[in-house]
Every structure is written in C-alpha cells, then in structure tokens.
Amino acid sequence: GESVGLHLPTLSVQEGDNSIINCAYSNSASDYFIWYKQESGKGPQFIIDIRSNMDKRQGQRVTVLLNKTVKHLSLQIAATQPGDSAVYFCAEESNFGNEKLTFGTGTRLTIIP
Amino acid sequence: DAGVIQSPRHEVTEMGQEVTLRCKPISGHDYLFWYRQTMMRGLELLIYFNNNVPIDDSGMPEDRFSAKMPNASFSTLKIQPSEPRDSAVYFCASSLRRYGYTFGSGTRLTVV
C-alpha cells in the first residue's frame, strides 16, 4: 500500500543555521502535501502546504519543495530558533476519491543553543 | 476561535471499562477526523466524517471502537471494552473542505 516515509528520524541543528527535513512518498497519485509541527504534549500544527501543480512554496522562514519526479518533499527552516524544536511530519493526500491524509513517521528536530 | 476542543485531556481507566472521548470541532468546518498516535505506529486515521456523516471507518481497529457525530459541533469516540493496547493519544481534527486540518490537543488514554 501507499506509505509516506522520512529519510532521517532525528536531526540536530545549531541555532541560527538552516534546517532541511526530507520526506519521500510513494503514491504518485498524491496531489496535496502538508507539513505539520508537533511540540511535546500538543497536537500537530499546520506549517505549510503545497499542491502538486507547484514545486516550491514559501512561508515565513519556511519553504517547501516538491519534486514529483522522484516523489520527494522537503521542508526548509531558515535561521532556526529554539522554538523550532519539535517533531515534523509530512502528510500526503490523493485527490482520487480518498480524502484522507497519510502521515509519515516524523523527524525530531533538535536545536542546539 | 477556540480551536478544536477535546476532553478529557487525560484518561486513566481499567481494562474492560468503557471510555468516551469527546471533540468539538471548529465552527463552520465540515470535516472531522479522529486519529490515534502511538510511538510504534505514529498517527493513524481511525474515522472521518463529512457534514456529520461517517465517510470512512476503515481505520477503526475493531468492533470495540465506535464513533458518532450527532451534530456539526460534537463528536464522540467510544471504546468498549477498553484494553491496555488501546493506550495512546487520540486526536480530533477538523477542516473546511478537506484542506488544512486543525488538530485538538489530544486525549492521552491509559488503560491499566
């Protein structure tokens, strides 16, 4: 079946540096992708999304890149701050009669002061 | 807006007891989702509703789990009887037209 996977389960980054979190997806029919951030004891929080007709989208300090050729998604966080420490999930959705988001296993990002 | 509200935040119950988790979605949202999160399995979709109607319950583990949405502002997830393996964090999320889920803070369920 389809699955969403992450290349790295943990990532440690120096404060102020840029972070890149990667995600591979296997369902070529997926046309909508979201990145979520989950802090300890809280529910996942929407960060940024991208549709399959785009290859890049920018938000405040975050950029999502989508490479449909290799089915790869990445989240770039600029100038990381201590508050960025969390688990980050990518999620995908197919438009073909399936309204469900499928979540990856998550990457834990730790910011080193 | 208060966001998605779940209750209780924590629930400890004995094996065999009935557990009811509650969710109030964001007003105006037409989709409601119930997820379960564990260390081993991550985030799993249990069931979702569109306009109060259950659309897909294929993620519900077994007949011990049931969910209802009697109106647009309230949903319940019930486990009867509960088992230790049901211990997890249960999240409710709502969205408008499928996109950009907003999650609640979750209910941490411990079955002993």
Side-chain angles (χ1 to χ4, degrees):
Chain A
E2 291 85 10
S3 65
V4 177
L6 292 173
H7 293 170
L8 296 173
T10 60
L11 179 64
S12 296
V13 176
Q14 203 77 35
E15 182 179 350
D17 288 352
N18 298 333
S19 301
I20 299 176
I21 301 172
N22 296 303
C23 177
Y25 65 94
S26 58
N27 184 2
S28 57
S30 293
D31 62 351
Y32 180 59
F33 305 87
I34 310 177
W35 280 100
Y36 282 89
K37 172 186 179 182
Q38 186 175 23
E39 296 175 278
S40 180
K42 298 183 179 179
Q45 178 186 9
F46 174 94
I47 302 174
I48 191 168
D49 60 358
I50 189 168
R51 300 187 192 282
S52 59
N53 61 351
M54 304 172 67
D55 54 19
K56 180 179 180 179
R57 190 164 188 223
Q58 289 184 294
Q60 187 177 13
R61 284 202 307 118
V62 295
T63 300
V64 55
L65 299 177
L66 175 62
N67 185 331
K68 294 182 289 293
T69 302
V70 295
K71 290 185 282 191
H72 184 269
L73 192 69
S74 68
L75 176 70
Q76 300 177 2
I77 305 174
T80 51
Q81 304 167 357
D84 294 329
S85 292
V87 176
Y88 290 81
F89 295 92
C90 65
E92 63 176 314
E93 182 184 289
S94 167
N95 194 36
F96 290 99
N98 183 344
E99 300 162 305
K100 302 182 291 189
L101 279 181
T102 301
F103 283 82
T105 54
T107 293
R108 180 174 298 281
L109 176 64
T110 301
I111 308 303
I112 304 168
Chain B
D1 195 325
V4 176
I5 299 173
Q6 291 186 247
S7 65
R9 284 301 309 272
H10 302 274
E11 176 81 34
V12 180
T13 190
E14 291 186 346
M15 182 173 64
Q17 296 298 306
E18 177 180 295
V19 175
T20 299
L21 311 181
R22 297 173 175 80
C23 175
K24 176 179 168 54
I26 291 175
S27 178
H29 279 190
D30 56 351
Y31 281 83
L32 184 140
F33 305 82
W34 282 101
Y35 279 85
R36 177 172 68 176
Q37 186 175 40
T38 61
M39 289 296 293
M40 293 299 295
R41 301 174 69 88
L43 272 165
E44 302 176 277
L45 177 66
L46 301 177
I47 185 172
Y48 76 94
F49 297 82
N50 176 218
N51 293 320
N52 314 337
V53 176
I55 303 300
D56 187 342
D57 65 354
S58 60
M60 297 285 261
E62 46 199 272
D63 293 344
R64 297 185 297 108
F65 286 68
S66 62
K68 295 182 179 179
M69 192 166 185
N71 56 62
S73 59
F74 184 66
S75 177
T76 60
L77 177 68
K78 186 175 294 186
I79 308 172
Q80 166 64 21
S82 57
E83 297 181 3
R85 60 192 169 121
D86 301 330
S87 297
V89 180
Y90 291 81
F91 287 103
C92 175
S94 70
S95 70
L96 181 63
R97 295 190 298 275
R98 294 165 48 193
Y99 299 117
Y101 293 18
T102 300
F103 282 81
S105 297
T107 295
R108 181 173 295 278
L109 173 65
T110 304
V111 183
V112 297

